[in-house]
Structures are given as structure tokens and as C-alpha cells.
Amino acid sequence: MGFFTLFDSKHRAQRKAEEAQNFRLELERTRQLLGIQAIPGGLDPEEVWWRDHFLWLKDVGYQLRPRHAPDWVPSWQGTDKYWGLCEDSWRMHSTQIASATRTSDGARVALKRIQPSLHPYEIEVGRFLASEPLRQRENHCVEMLDVLQVPNEADETILVLPLLRPFNNPPFETIGEIIDFTRQVFEGLQFMHKHRVAHRDCMNLNIMMDPREMYLHPFHPCRPSSRLDLKGPAKYRSRTECPPRYLFIDFGISRRYQAWQAAPLEPPIRGGYKGVPEFQTSDEPRNPFPTDVWYLGFALQQQLLEVYRGLSFMEPLVSDMLQTDPAKRPTMDEVMSRFVPTYSALSPWKLRSRAVMKEEWIIMRPFRALFHWLRCLRFLWRRLPAIPSLTV
């Protein structure tokens, strides 16, 4: 009797599993007919555009992830796998962006879909900043590797860009690394302003890092903490060992001006930060260059001064960049002329000291400090500069 009971229970469990699977398949078909995401981890409606252009992009030399292939079947479908752990369920943070491999050389790139009617100057500004005469060390603007006009879609263009990481991921380890970052972004915005380009949205999300030298293995574009091949975490060397370059991205609302336009006026356009003082009380046209200074100052205030200890030496300059009156803010030339002597006056001990987060658990500080100074001894023995990208 027990045998038949056991057999019957197994049969019922099998039948329930089949019914559940049939229900999931039917639900998927229904959602596909309704044009909404089929299953958890399935294509977002905006990702369908990339799927529809998969073969064309392959023909012009860019291979999208298997997720965007026309015949893609989720790897977890019909299995007991949790979809969130499957690589082909992972999405980019924005459906406007897709990761790809350039088939000619295997380089990993980011494809950005834009509508020129909404951002008419993005390609012009990007090409100008990447032009041969401007290929200088002070230029910290992302390079457009290619511009693809989508066939039969006049208002759809794809920008091919290098694959980057957020500037603060991984976190900074030393005060010198923070100074190096700050110096590069000051230098980059100064360079743009020198060549009469206003970024107009230089917030933290539009400052990225080219980390190719830091990472021992390629990282996954959707999960930067993981290796591309999913064989563990993406291990990296410190910024002190392999100095990265920090780059401004996203010139969608940027403008280029002629040399004679010393103080151009533009209607307010609100970027990522909505609290720009001059936009709060009036919609009258404003000079975008002082607004850039405020944007960058606010990014430093939020991402550095409010996050790390030991940066009081930067506070007076950042405070001036955040002046409510645009006329009282320093120009980027003045910012650089003040910042260089500020960090030059710091001792080597200060520069090599650990960048301690304000929210760090106090119990862990002694252990992290010991490990940090042991690493510093190795860097000193190798004569690595305290401010990574400065060789003199």
C-alpha cells in the first residue's frame, strides 16, 4: 500500500510541475501578444529595438550579446534555474545603451542610441572634441569611435563609444588617488571651456573612468563586479599602480560657441542636477560656463566631500564653485590655478594616507589601516607616485 501511495504522490508532483511549466509558457505567450515583458529577466520593451537591429549591427561589425539575438531563448526557461543568476537575464542600466564586441579586433564597446532631432549638437560636439588637433593629454572627453546611421530610420543614430566604468567604482584608496581624479576632471572641463564648449550637464553620472589597465580580466558590462566570463569577481589593481583616465561623457545638451562669444546666453536647460541656483527663480537666458562650474562643484561635494574623511583642504574651493551668484564663481582657469598649489602643499604622508569613508565601520579601521600601509611600503619601494598620473 505504501508503494502505491509513494507512486501516486510522485505522479501528482510530476503533474503539478508540468502544469506549472505549461502555465509559465502560456503566460509568456500572452505577455508577448500584449507587448510587455515576457518573463522576469526577459526583454524590456525598449530592448526590442536592439533585437530588431541585431543582424544589421552584426553586418556592420558589432556583435550584441546573445540576449538581443532574434532567436534568443532564455537559458533558464524550462529549468529550475533562478533567472536572476543567469547571465543572459542581465540588462544594462539604460535601454538606450547596449554593450557589444567590435568584430574587427574584439574590442568591447558601448552602443548609444540617440535621436538627432532631440539632441542636434551631440554628434557635432563629440566629433569636434575627438578631432586630431584636440588629441591632447588635457582632453578628458570620451572619444566617439564610430557613428552609425540606422537604415530606413532618419532620426535614429548609434554612437560607438569605449566601454567605461563609473569613476568611483571601485572606491578610491588614497587621498592622492582622489586628488588625481579631481585634477583630471578640473583639467578636462578647463580644456572644454578653453575650446568654447559648455557641457551643461557635467554631473557625477557623466564622469566615467577608463579602467582597462587596472583590470586583470575584462569585467561584465551589466555586473561590473564580475568577470566577463563569470569565473569569479573582477579583480583589479589599484589606481596607484595603474592610473586610469577620467572622462566626461554625454554631450546631448552640450553646445559649442565661437571664440567671439565670450559670454553666450542660453535658455535654462535642466540636466541631472535640478538645484542649479540661477534656474530656480528665473527662466531668463544664462551663461552656461558658470553653470558648468556649479555642476562640477556639486558633483565633488556629493561624491567626495560628503563621502570621504580628510578632504577639508578642498572645501574652500568647492564652496566657491557652488556660489549662488554665478558671477562670484571662479572660472575653470581660476579653479586650476587654486587647486594645484593646494595639493602641492600636502605632505607625502597625507597624499598616501588611506581614503576613509565616513560611513566606514569603526571596528574595521585598524585592520584596513594596517593592510593599507603595508601596500604603501610596496608602492614606495617601486617608486610609484602618490598622485598616480603625475610622473614628476
Side-chain angles (χ1 to χ4, degrees):
M1 187 71 176
F3 170 79
F4 291 106
T5 302
L6 179 62
F7 178 83
D8 186 55
S9 63
K10 286 184 176 181
H11 179 70
R12 286 199 303 270
Q14 182 180 358
R15 188 171 59 193
K16 282 187 177 181
E18 291 175 351
E19 289 174 352
Q21 175 65 10
N22 291 335
F23 175 77
R24 285 195 294 269
L25 293 174
E26 184 62 31
L27 183 61
E28 179 184 345
R29 284 193 291 268
T30 303
R31 286 177 172 175
Q32 286 178 341
L33 289 173
L34 294 175
I36 62 177
Q37 185 175 308
I39 51 176
L43 288 184
D44 188 276
E46 289 296 318
E47 288 184 284
V48 172
W49 190 91
W50 293 106
R51 181 198 65 191
D52 293 345
H53 294 81
F54 181 94
L55 297 178
W56 168 70
L57 284 166
K58 186 176 181 179
D59 288 341
V60 297
Y62 298 98
Q63 179 73 54
L64 294 176
R65 292 171 58 211
R67 170 183 180 82
H68 296 121
D71 57 352
W72 174 61
V73 177
S75 62
W76 63 93
Q77 187 170 300
T79 73
D80 294 330
K81 296 178 182 177
Y82 172 58
W83 63 271
L85 298 178
C86 298
E87 188 277 340
D88 58 340
S89 74
W90 299 349
R91 300 188 190 90
M92 296 292 282
H93 70 280
S94 168
T95 54
Q96 185 186 7
I97 306 291
S99 63
T101 300
R102 188 166 57 191
T103 55
S104 61
D105 58 2
R108 298 190 305 136
V109 297
L111 307 182
K112 179 183 179 183
R113 175 189 174 195
I114 69 167
Q115 294 179 293
S117 64
L118 297 179
H119 303 292
Y121 304 105
E122 183 162 10
I123 296 175
E124 173 198 337
V125 170
R127 280 177 167 159
F128 170 70
L129 292 170
S131 61
E132 191 62 36
L134 271 61
R135 291 178 181 269
Q136 304 170 28
R137 181 185 63 81
E138 297 82 7
N139 187 345
H140 292 273
C141 300
V142 68
E143 180 185 2
M144 287 196 315
L145 304 175
D146 203 353
V147 177
L148 307 175
Q149 178 58 55
V150 180
N152 304 317
E153 297 183 50
D155 199 28
E156 293 285 356
T157 301
I158 294 176
L159 308 183
V160 182
L161 307 167
L163 184 64
L164 306 173
R165 288 178 74 99
F167 72 87
N168 54 0
N169 182 352
F172 297 102
E173 295 179 10
T174 69
I175 298 298
E177 291 179 359
I178 291 177
I179 289 173
D180 188 36
F181 161 74
T182 307
R183 186 191 60 80
Q184 288 195 43
V185 294
F186 281 169
E187 184 178 66
L189 192 58
Q190 179 190 33
F191 181 87
M192 292 179 67
H193 287 189
K194 175 184 176 182
H195 292 279
R196 308 305 299 155
V197 174
H199 190 287
R200 305 181 75 194
D201 193 19
C202 45
M203 64 175 300
N204 64 301
L205 297 179
N206 288 334
I207 305 173
M208 303 289 281
M209 176 176 72
D210 184 351
R212 281 175 289 183
E213 300 300 320
M214 289 176 59
Y215 279 80
L216 305 176
H217 301 281
F219 60 88
H220 197 284
C222 303
R223 298 282 178 89
S225 60
S226 300
R227 283 174 48 161
L228 182 64
D229 59 13
L230 305 183
K231 293 182 179 179
K235 296 181 179 180
Y236 59 89
R237 291 168 289 197
S238 73
R239 291 171 170 85
T240 300
E241 294 176 282
C242 302
R245 276 184 63 80
Y246 299 98
L247 303 170
F248 288 99
I249 66 166
D250 193 356
F251 307 115
I253 57 176
S254 301
R255 288 295 304 274
R256 179 188 174 195
Y257 303 98
Q258 299 301 316
W260 56 267
Q261 295 176 286
L265 297 177
E266 293 283 354
I269 185 166
R270 290 163 176 81
Y273 295 147
K274 310 303 181 185
V276 179
E278 54 265 41
F279 295 168
Q280 304 306 306
T281 57
S282 171
D283 286 334
E284 64 183 70
R286 298 284 187 170
N287 183 344
F289 291 106
T291 304
D292 271 1
V293 174
W294 186 93
Y295 264 113
L296 187 53
F298 191 74
L300 298 179
Q301 176 76 35
Q302 272 201 330
Q303 305 298 317
L304 297 182
L305 301 187
E306 295 180 4
V307 175
Y308 292 94
R309 300 176 183 275
L311 300 179
S312 58
F313 61 90
M314 290 177 54
E315 290 176 357
L317 178 55
V318 172
S319 179
D320 284 347
M321 295 174 71
L322 294 174
Q323 289 276 1
T324 301
D325 183 353
K328 294 181 179 180
R329 295 172 199 155
T331 65
M332 287 311 302
D333 286 339
E334 293 168 341
V335 168
M336 280 296 289
S337 67
R338 288 176 57 180
F339 187 61
V340 172
T342 297
Y343 72 71
S344 298
L346 299 176
S347 68
W349 176 271
K350 175 68 172 179
L351 294 174
R352 293 192 185 275
S353 62
R354 191 167 70 91
V356 181
M357 290 187 175
K358 292 183 177 181
E359 295 184 356
E360 182 178 275
W361 195 22
I362 192 170
I363 295 177
M364 297 302 298
R365 286 183 196 167
F367 303 99
R368 289 175 176 169
L370 175 62
F371 176 73
H372 170 76
W373 286 113
L374 289 174
R375 292 185 72 191
C376 278
L377 289 175
R378 181 161 55 90
F379 296 159
L380 285 166
W381 180 75
R382 294 169 59 189
R383 298 185 178 181
L384 299 177
I387 301 177
S389 65
L390 292 185
T391 57
V392 293

